[in-house]
Each structure stands twice: as C-alpha cells, then as structure tokens.
Amino acid sequence: MPAETTEIPKPEPEWMPSATLGEALPVRLLRAREAIMQFYRPLFQATGITERQWRVLRNLFDAPFLEPSELAVRAFMQPPNVSRVLNELSALNYVTRVASGKDQRRARIALTETGRAATVRIGRHIEARTTELLKTPEAAEFARLGELLEMVIDMPQKYPRLTVATHQPPGP
C-alpha cells in the first residue's frame, strides 16, 4: 500500500528576488572573471605561480618598493593574504624586504633579479595569450566592455550614499 503523502504548505515569501542568482550583476561579474581566467590559469599552473602571486609580482614590476599595505590595495587582497604570498615569493627568492628610510620598523617590498626575470618570462606568456584573445571575433566588443567596467568601477565614488547600509537587517 503506497504511503500517503501530504504536501507541506510553503510559507508566503517575504521577499521575491527580481532576478535569479545567476542573473544578478555581482554574480555575472564573477562568472565573467572566471571565464577570462580560464584562458590564463594554465599559464600560471605551467610556471608554478598562483594567481595571487602573479598579482603581487606584476604590481611590484610596475611600482618597485611598495609597502605591504599598498600592495594589498593594488593586488585586491587582504593584508594577511599578502603576508602569506610575500612569504611564498620570498622562499622562491622573487621578492625581498627593504627597510623603509626613516622608519626602520616599516618594510618595503621589491622584486629581486630572479623575481624580475620570472615576472618578465611569465608576462610574455600572458601577453601572447592576450594577443590570441584579441584575435577572436568577440574581441571587437572588448573596448566597449572596458568602458562599461570603468563606469561600474567609478559608481561608488559617484553614488557614495549607496555604499552604506540604510536599513538595519533583521536579527536572528
């Protein structure tokens, strides 16, 4: 004899999203980043460098002698993660810590010769891959995409009131 099933009534939702999670702008931006990184991750894996390590190396290539706090901002990383990555890169002899002029307690980070050579070597592979991507039919839209992304990046400065909570979220 089949078991009798009773449906449990679903409560009326207090909130109905205007878009599915996959359609939400922050999720779409994350998905786009992940899609682009699929072209570059194999290059990092082949060189034994992580994405985070590359961001640190690339920033130090552009701006030698950065303090760890500056590096965290430029590389879009939390300070503890920067410290971890710097330790990894130091073990590879890619970076060195240099005492900061007047205040000997503060350190600035710089590439070593080995680190500079590795950054150039990896950078050449990344540039070659980017050149390949720019030959795809979709690349015709990259300039427009770049403009749109810059517009999004500038929005918090343009609309600062939207960067703060206006309502207290309900407690548990």
Side-chain angles (χ1 to χ4, degrees):
M1 177 174 208
E4 192 173 313
T5 60
T6 57
E7 283 192 38
I8 300 173
K10 294 181 181 177
E12 188 67 30
E14 296 179 25
W15 166 69
M16 184 58 72
S18 60
T20 66
L21 183 59
E23 295 169 336
L25 182 59
V27 173
R28 291 176 75 191
L29 290 170
L30 286 171
R31 288 175 46 216
R33 179 193 183 281
E34 288 303 308
I36 284 296
M37 289 310 297
Q38 287 181 36
F39 297 109
Y40 295 99
R41 280 195 186 110
L43 302 176
F44 296 131
Q45 291 167 350
T47 59
I49 295 294
T50 67
E51 294 172 45
R52 286 180 174 181
Q53 289 171 339
W54 171 250
R55 292 200 314 256
V56 168
L57 291 172
R58 185 64 170 85
N59 275 284
L60 289 170
F61 186 85
D62 287 348
F65 299 109
L66 290 173
E67 291 188 8
S69 59
E70 293 175 276
L71 203 44
V73 171
R74 288 173 172 249
F76 303 100
M77 295 168 62
Q78 296 296 318
N81 292 331
V82 169
S83 294
R84 190 174 309 114
V85 169
L86 289 175
N87 288 335
E88 295 164 359
L89 292 172
S90 183
L92 294 169
N93 191 33
Y94 284 180
V95 298
T96 186
R97 289 174 170 84
V98 180
S100 182
K102 300 173 188 171
D103 188 349
Q104 296 294 312
R105 295 170 297 173
R106 295 175 70 163
R108 296 183 304 160
I109 311 301
L111 289 175
T112 62
E113 287 299 320
T114 304
R116 181 167 284 287
T119 304
V120 168
R121 187 180 74 251
I122 297 164
R124 286 182 178 145
H125 291 290
I126 290 170
E127 288 294 323
R129 181 60 48 89
T130 300
T131 299
E132 290 179 61
L133 282 171
L134 291 175
K135 292 177 183 175
T136 66
E138 294 81 2
E141 298 295 326
F142 285 179
R144 177 75 178 129
L145 176 60
E147 292 169 5
L148 291 171
L149 290 171
E150 287 301 320
M151 178 194 69
V152 171
I153 290 165
D154 293 341
M155 286 180 71
Q157 286 75 38
K158 191 173 180 180
Y159 305 103
R161 68 178 181 77
L162 297 177
T163 65
V164 295
T166 55
H167 301 297
Q168 185 68 26

PDB file of all heavy atoms in Angstrom, residues 54-73:
ATOM      1  N   TRP A  54      51.019  36.123  -8.884  1.00  0.00           N
ATOM      2  CA  TRP A  54      51.190  36.924 -10.095  1.00  0.00           C
ATOM      3  C   TRP A  54      50.763  38.372  -9.852  1.00  0.00           C
ATOM      4  O   TRP A  54      51.446  39.309 -10.271  1.00  0.00           O
ATOM      5  CB  TRP A  54      50.423  36.338 -11.279  1.00  0.00           C
ATOM      6  CG  TRP A  54      50.450  37.293 -12.438  1.00  0.00           C
ATOM      7  CD1 TRP A  54      49.415  38.013 -12.943  1.00  0.00           C
ATOM      8  CD2 TRP A  54      51.601  37.664 -13.213  1.00  0.00           C
ATOM      9  NE1 TRP A  54      49.839  38.800 -13.977  1.00  0.00           N
ATOM     10  CE2 TRP A  54      51.188  38.602 -14.158  1.00  0.00           C
ATOM     11  CE3 TRP A  54      52.944  37.289 -13.176  1.00  0.00           C
ATOM     12  CZ2 TRP A  54      52.058  39.176 -15.083  1.00  0.00           C
ATOM     13  CZ3 TRP A  54      53.809  37.870 -14.092  1.00  0.00           C
ATOM     14  CH2 TRP A  54      53.365  38.804 -15.030  1.00  0.00           C
ATOM     15  N   ARG A  55      49.641  38.566  -9.170  1.00  0.00           N
ATOM     16  CA  ARG A  55      49.182  39.941  -8.908  1.00  0.00           C
ATOM     17  C   ARG A  55      50.223  40.714  -8.111  1.00  0.00           C
ATOM     18  O   ARG A  55      50.462  41.893  -8.372  1.00  0.00           O
ATOM     19  CB  ARG A  55      47.832  39.926  -8.207  1.00  0.00           C
ATOM     20  CG  ARG A  55      46.723  39.415  -9.093  1.00  0.00           C
ATOM     21  CD  ARG A  55      45.330  39.806  -8.637  1.00  0.00           C
ATOM     22  NE  ARG A  55      45.035  39.646  -7.251  1.00  0.00           N
ATOM     23  CZ  ARG A  55      44.301  38.664  -6.728  1.00  0.00           C
ATOM     24  NH1 ARG A  55      43.800  37.736  -7.500  1.00  0.00           N
ATOM     25  NH2 ARG A  55      44.049  38.636  -5.443  1.00  0.00           N
ATOM     26  N   VAL A  56      50.860  40.069  -7.154  1.00  0.00           N
ATOM     27  CA  VAL A  56      51.907  40.728  -6.368  1.00  0.00           C
ATOM     28  C   VAL A  56      53.116  41.009  -7.246  1.00  0.00           C
ATOM     29  O   VAL A  56      53.640  42.139  -7.259  1.00  0.00           O
ATOM     30  CB  VAL A  56      52.278  39.882  -5.128  1.00  0.00           C
ATOM     31  CG1 VAL A  56      53.540  40.403  -4.478  1.00  0.00           C
ATOM     32  CG2 VAL A  56      51.121  39.873  -4.137  1.00  0.00           C
ATOM     33  N   LEU A  57      53.586  40.022  -7.996  1.00  0.00           N
ATOM     34  CA  LEU A  57      54.744  40.217  -8.861  1.00  0.00           C
ATOM     35  C   LEU A  57      54.492  41.342  -9.869  1.00  0.00           C
ATOM     36  O   LEU A  57      55.350  42.209 -10.074  1.00  0.00           O
ATOM     37  CB  LEU A  57      55.092  38.919  -9.609  1.00  0.00           C
ATOM     38  CG  LEU A  57      55.641  37.773  -8.775  1.00  0.00           C
ATOM     39  CD1 LEU A  57      55.743  36.507  -9.611  1.00  0.00           C
ATOM     40  CD2 LEU A  57      56.991  38.139  -8.171  1.00  0.00           C
ATOM     41  N   ARG A  58      53.338  41.331 -10.479  1.00  0.00           N
ATOM     42  CA  ARG A  58      53.014  42.334 -11.515  1.00  0.00           C
ATOM     43  C   ARG A  58      52.962  43.731 -10.921  1.00  0.00           C
ATOM     44  O   ARG A  58      53.433  44.697 -11.538  1.00  0.00           O
ATOM     45  CB  ARG A  58      51.691  41.970 -12.178  1.00  0.00           C
ATOM     46  CG  ARG A  58      51.303  42.854 -13.327  1.00  0.00           C
ATOM     47  CD  ARG A  58      52.312  42.729 -14.474  1.00  0.00           C
ATOM     48  NE  ARG A  58      51.830  43.395 -15.662  1.00  0.00           N
ATOM     49  CZ  ARG A  58      51.994  44.693 -15.907  1.00  0.00           C
ATOM     50  NH1 ARG A  58      52.612  45.460 -15.066  1.00  0.00           N
ATOM     51  NH2 ARG A  58      51.509  45.223 -17.019  1.00  0.00           N
ATOM     52  N   ASN A  59      52.411  43.858  -9.725  1.00  0.00           N
ATOM     53  CA  ASN A  59      52.368  45.166  -9.079  1.00  0.00           C
ATOM     54  C   ASN A  59      53.759  45.655  -8.712  1.00  0.00           C
ATOM     55  O   ASN A  59      54.068  46.838  -8.856  1.00  0.00           O
ATOM     56  CB  ASN A  59      51.466  45.137  -7.846  1.00  0.00           C
ATOM     57  CG  ASN A  59      50.030  45.357  -8.222  1.00  0.00           C
ATOM     58  OD1 ASN A  59      49.628  46.463  -8.511  1.00  0.00           O
ATOM     59  ND2 ASN A  59      49.248  44.288  -8.248  1.00  0.00           N
ATOM     60  N   LEU A  60      54.605  44.764  -8.239  1.00  0.00           N
ATOM     61  CA  LEU A  60      55.972  45.153  -7.906  1.00  0.00           C
ATOM     62  C   LEU A  60      56.789  45.473  -9.154  1.00  0.00           C
ATOM     63  O   LEU A  60      57.713  46.289  -9.107  1.00  0.00           O
ATOM     64  CB  LEU A  60      56.655  44.057  -7.080  1.00  0.00           C
ATOM     65  CG  LEU A  60      56.127  43.913  -5.659  1.00  0.00           C
ATOM     66  CD1 LEU A  60      56.693  42.661  -5.010  1.00  0.00           C
ATOM     67  CD2 LEU A  60      56.445  45.151  -4.838  1.00  0.00           C
ATOM     68  N   PHE A  61      56.455  44.864 -10.258  1.00  0.00           N
ATOM     69  CA  PHE A  61      57.122  45.177 -11.523  1.00  0.00           C
ATOM     70  C   PHE A  61      56.792  46.615 -11.929  1.00  0.00           C
ATOM     71  O   PHE A  61      57.651  47.348 -12.400  1.00  0.00           O
ATOM     72  CB  PHE A  61      56.681  44.185 -12.607  1.00  0.00           C
ATOM     73  CG  PHE A  61      57.422  44.339 -13.897  1.00  0.00           C
ATOM     74  CD1 PHE A  61      58.650  43.717 -14.082  1.00  0.00           C
ATOM     75  CD2 PHE A  61      56.891  45.088 -14.935  1.00  0.00           C
ATOM     76  CE1 PHE A  61      59.344  43.854 -15.279  1.00  0.00           C
ATOM     77  CE2 PHE A  61      57.575  45.231 -16.134  1.00  0.00           C
ATOM     78  CZ  PHE A  61      58.800  44.615 -16.311  1.00  0.00           C
ATOM     79  N   ASP A  62      55.517  46.983 -11.753  1.00  0.00           N
ATOM     80  CA  ASP A  62      55.076  48.338 -12.129  1.00  0.00           C
ATOM     81  C   ASP A  62      55.509  49.404 -11.138  1.00  0.00           C
ATOM     82  O   ASP A  62      55.746  50.544 -11.525  1.00  0.00           O
ATOM     83  CB  ASP A  62      53.550  48.378 -12.251  1.00  0.00           C
ATOM     84  CG  ASP A  62      53.042  47.681 -13.491  1.00  0.00           C
ATOM     85  OD1 ASP A  62      53.851  47.364 -14.375  1.00  0.00           O
ATOM     86  OD2 ASP A  62      51.824  47.453 -13.571  1.00  0.00           O
ATOM     87  N   ALA A  63      55.528  49.069  -9.860  1.00  0.00           N
ATOM     88  CA  ALA A  63      55.824  50.052  -8.809  1.00  0.00           C
ATOM     89  C   ALA A  63      56.763  49.425  -7.789  1.00  0.00           C
ATOM     90  O   ALA A  63      56.317  48.887  -6.784  1.00  0.00           O
ATOM     91  CB  ALA A  63      54.533  50.522  -8.152  1.00  0.00           C
ATOM     92  N   PRO A  64      58.063  49.491  -8.043  1.00  0.00           N
ATOM     93  CA  PRO A  64      59.010  48.895  -7.094  1.00  0.00           C
ATOM     94  C   PRO A  64      58.903  49.548  -5.724  1.00  0.00           C
ATOM     95  O   PRO A  64      58.509  50.703  -5.606  1.00  0.00           O
ATOM     96  CB  PRO A  64      60.372  49.172  -7.726  1.00  0.00           C
ATOM     97  CG  PRO A  64      60.107  49.567  -9.133  1.00  0.00           C
ATOM     98  CD  PRO A  64      58.716  50.108  -9.177  1.00  0.00           C
ATOM     99  N   PHE A  65      59.278  48.793  -4.717  1.00  0.00           N
ATOM    100  CA  PHE A  65      59.337  49.289  -3.343  1.00  0.00           C
ATOM    101  C   PHE A  65      57.968  49.697  -2.801  1.00  0.00           C
ATOM    102  O   PHE A  65      57.760  50.838  -2.417  1.00  0.00           O
ATOM    103  CB  PHE A  65      60.332  50.448  -3.207  1.00  0.00           C
ATOM    104  CG  PHE A  65      61.726  50.064  -3.566  1.00  0.00           C
ATOM    105  CD1 PHE A  65      62.310  50.526  -4.729  1.00  0.00           C
ATOM    106  CD2 PHE A  65      62.450  49.219  -2.750  1.00  0.00           C
ATOM    107  CE1 PHE A  65      63.597  50.160  -5.070  1.00  0.00           C
ATOM    108  CE2 PHE A  65      63.750  48.849  -3.076  1.00  0.00           C
ATOM    109  CZ  PHE A  65      64.306  49.323  -4.243  1.00  0.00           C
ATOM    110  N   LEU A  66      57.056  48.763  -2.776  1.00  0.00           N
ATOM    111  CA  LEU A  66      55.739  49.005  -2.185  1.00  0.00           C
ATOM    112  C   LEU A  66      55.707  48.480  -0.760  1.00  0.00           C
ATOM    113  O   LEU A  66      56.286  47.430  -0.461  1.00  0.00           O
ATOM    114  CB  LEU A  66      54.651  48.301  -2.999  1.00  0.00           C
ATOM    115  CG  LEU A  66      54.355  48.863  -4.382  1.00  0.00           C
ATOM    116  CD1 LEU A  66      53.376  47.957  -5.114  1.00  0.00           C
ATOM    117  CD2 LEU A  66      53.807  50.275  -4.280  1.00  0.00           C
ATOM    118  N   GLU A  67      55.000  49.186   0.091  1.00  0.00           N
ATOM    119  CA  GLU A  67      54.757  48.670   1.435  1.00  0.00           C
ATOM    120  C   GLU A  67      53.666  47.610   1.334  1.00  0.00           C
ATOM    121  O   GLU A  67      52.814  47.671   0.438  1.00  0.00           O
ATOM    122  CB  GLU A  67      54.329  49.803   2.367  1.00  0.00           C
ATOM    123  CG  GLU A  67      55.453  50.767   2.658  1.00  0.00           C
ATOM    124  CD  GLU A  67      55.105  51.781   3.728  1.00  0.00           C
ATOM    125  OE1 GLU A  67      54.033  51.653   4.359  1.00  0.00           O
ATOM    126  OE2 GLU A  67      55.915  52.697   3.918  1.00  0.00           O
ATOM    127  N   PRO A  68      53.671  46.638   2.229  1.00  0.00           N
ATOM    128  CA  PRO A  68      52.660  45.579   2.163  1.00  0.00           C
ATOM    129  C   PRO A  68      51.223  46.108   2.134  1.00  0.00           C
ATOM    130  O   PRO A  68      50.381  45.557   1.417  1.00  0.00           O
ATOM    131  CB  PRO A  68      52.932  44.751   3.416  1.00  0.00           C
ATOM    132  CG  PRO A  68      54.397  44.928   3.652  1.00  0.00           C
ATOM    133  CD  PRO A  68      54.675  46.365   3.265  1.00  0.00           C
ATOM    134  N   SER A  69      50.933  47.171   2.866  1.00  0.00           N
ATOM    135  CA  SER A  69      49.566  47.709   2.861  1.00  0.00           C
ATOM    136  C   SER A  69      49.204  48.269   1.486  1.00  0.00           C
ATOM    137  O   SER A  69      48.070  48.098   1.020  1.00  0.00           O
ATOM    138  CB  SER A  69      49.413  48.789   3.933  1.00  0.00           C
ATOM    139  OG  SER A  69      50.325  49.853   3.709  1.00  0.00           O
ATOM    140  N   GLU A  70      50.145  48.922   0.823  1.00  0.00           N
ATOM    141  CA  GLU A  70      49.904  49.418  -0.532  1.00  0.00           C
ATOM    142  C   GLU A  70      49.693  48.254  -1.494  1.00  0.00           C
ATOM    143  O   GLU A  70      48.839  48.301  -2.379  1.00  0.00           O
ATOM    144  CB  GLU A  70      51.093  50.241  -1.029  1.00  0.00           C
ATOM    145  CG  GLU A  70      51.337  51.542  -0.325  1.00  0.00           C
ATOM    146  CD  GLU A  70      52.615  52.185  -0.830  1.00  0.00           C
ATOM    147  OE1 GLU A  70      53.691  51.819  -0.315  1.00  0.00           O
ATOM    148  OE2 GLU A  70      52.520  53.026  -1.737  1.00  0.00           O
ATOM    149  N   LEU A  71      50.501  47.236  -1.316  1.00  0.00           N
ATOM    150  CA  LEU A  71      50.419  46.052  -2.161  1.00  0.00           C
ATOM    151  C   LEU A  71      49.058  45.375  -2.009  1.00  0.00           C
ATOM    152  O   LEU A  71      48.468  44.918  -2.993  1.00  0.00           O
ATOM    153  CB  LEU A  71      51.547  45.092  -1.783  1.00  0.00           C
ATOM    154  CG  LEU A  71      52.013  44.075  -2.781  1.00  0.00           C
ATOM    155  CD1 LEU A  71      52.173  44.624  -4.174  1.00  0.00           C
ATOM    156  CD2 LEU A  71      53.311  43.470  -2.304  1.00  0.00           C
ATOM    157  N   ALA A  72      48.547  45.330  -0.790  1.00  0.00           N
ATOM    158  CA  ALA A  72      47.233  44.725  -0.549  1.00  0.00           C
ATOM    159  C   ALA A  72      46.150  45.454  -1.341  1.00  0.00           C
ATOM    160  O   ALA A  72      45.300  44.819  -1.972  1.00  0.00           O
ATOM    161  CB  ALA A  72      46.911  44.746   0.945  1.00  0.00           C
ATOM    162  N   VAL A  73      46.189  46.772  -1.334  1.00  0.00           N
ATOM    163  CA  VAL A  73      45.190  47.564  -2.069  1.00  0.00           C
ATOM    164  C   VAL A  73      45.340  47.340  -3.563  1.00  0.00           C
ATOM    165  O   VAL A  73      44.363  47.077  -4.264  1.00  0.00           O
ATOM    166  CB  VAL A  73      45.320  49.067  -1.709  1.00  0.00           C
ATOM    167  CG1 VAL A  73      44.456  49.918  -2.618  1.00  0.00           C
ATOM    168  CG2 VAL A  73      44.972  49.293  -0.255  1.00  0.00           C
TER     169      VAL A  73
END
